[in-house]
Amino acid sequence: MKRSVALLCALMFSLTLFSGCSSSEEAPYLGITCIAKYIGLDSQDAVSADIGARLPAYDGEIQYSYMYTGDSTSDAMMTASTMMKLTAMFASQEVDILFADEENAARNARSDSFLSLSELLTEEEIEALGSRALSFDMLDDQGNPTGEKTPVCGVDLSGCAVLTPVFGTQSIGVYVVSNTDDLEYVKTALREILSW
């Protein structure tokens, strides 16, 4: 009996040890998340397929997630829960590209969650965006603008036919999460997204 227990413990230790070693061999993973006050969840499969067909070939798995915060004034608990979940997804590098409505984008931009466009596009490409280039007012503890702005970190995609089925008429933009570990592919994907 003691020998069986010892063998079982040794086996569990080995599995734990080697499972940690295999992570470097995992296939590449790209996370794309859509978040807004309201999301058309019945269209998510079609939108995911459309996005996947339009993006450059990716040598790995692309995961799509759709989240809605609801109205923060009428359902503050749901909004807070969704915000916490998204923050956890950022921390665990589950999101590389974020499509978001203005409220969610601004909240995360103020927390330095996104890369500046200057790290993703050339100066000429950013200038060509004109008013589509997005940054947000910084706020004080009372929620009042401080006169400062976040870096330019997103691109307005409002009315984009690819995303309208899930976002409807909400103002939306695209953002790159600051801790993405596949920056070169994300840069290529972003340029494709800007042509939609």
Side-chain angles (χ1 to χ4, degrees), residues 69 75-85:
T69 57
D75 196 349
M77 287 280 285
M78 185 172 118
T79 301
S81 173
T82 304
M83 287 165 48
M84 285 174 35
K85 181 178 179 183

Side-chain angles (χ1 to χ4, degrees), residues 11 21 23 26 33 35 46 53 55-56 71 76-77 88 102 115 119-121 137 145 147 153 156 164 167 193 196:
L11 179 62
C21 296
S23 62
E26 291 178 4
T33 296
I35 185 169
L55 289 178
D71 188 336
M77 287 280 285
E102 186 175 348
L115 288 176
E119 299 175 71
L120 303 164
L121 303 171
D137 291 329
C153 57
D156 185 11
T164 298
F167 285 104
I193 291 167
W196 294 353

Side-chain angles (χ1 to χ4, degrees), residues 126-149:
I126 296 171
E127 286 177 6
L129 293 171
S131 61
R132 292 179 65 202
L134 300 173
S135 67
F136 301 94
D137 291 329
M138 295 297 290
L139 305 178
D140 62 21
D141 294 339
Q142 286 74 43
N144 301 311
T146 63
E148 297 181 330
K149 295 184 82 68

Side-chain angles (χ1 to χ4, degrees), residues 38-45 47 66 68 164-168 170:
Y38 305 107
I39 288 281
L41 295 178
D42 55 336
S43 303
Q44 66 183 17
D45 291 340
V47 170
Y66 296 82
Y68 57 94
T164 298
V166 289
F167 285 104
Q170 298 173 94

Side-chain angles (χ1 to χ4, degrees), residues 19 21 25 37 46 49 56 62 64 78 82 91 94 100 105 131 135 138 174 185 187:
S19 66
C21 296
E25 298 174 13
K37 186 181 288 189
I62 299 180
Y64 301 90
M78 185 172 118
T82 304
E94 293 178 51
S131 61
S135 67
M138 295 297 290
V174 60
Y185 176 82
K187 288 180 182 180

Side-chain angles (χ1 to χ4, degrees), residues 92-129:
S92 59
Q93 294 184 297
E94 293 178 51
V95 185
D96 297 283
I97 297 172
L98 185 76
F99 296 104
D101 65 354
E102 186 175 348
E103 182 177 339
N104 283 287
R107 182 185 306 114
N108 287 290
R110 292 179 188 122
S111 301
D112 296 321
S113 296
F114 305 134
L115 288 176
S116 166
L117 287 188
S118 63
E119 299 175 71
L120 303 164
L121 303 171
T122 66
E123 189 176 325
E124 292 76 18
E125 288 172 320
I126 296 171
E127 286 177 6
L129 293 171

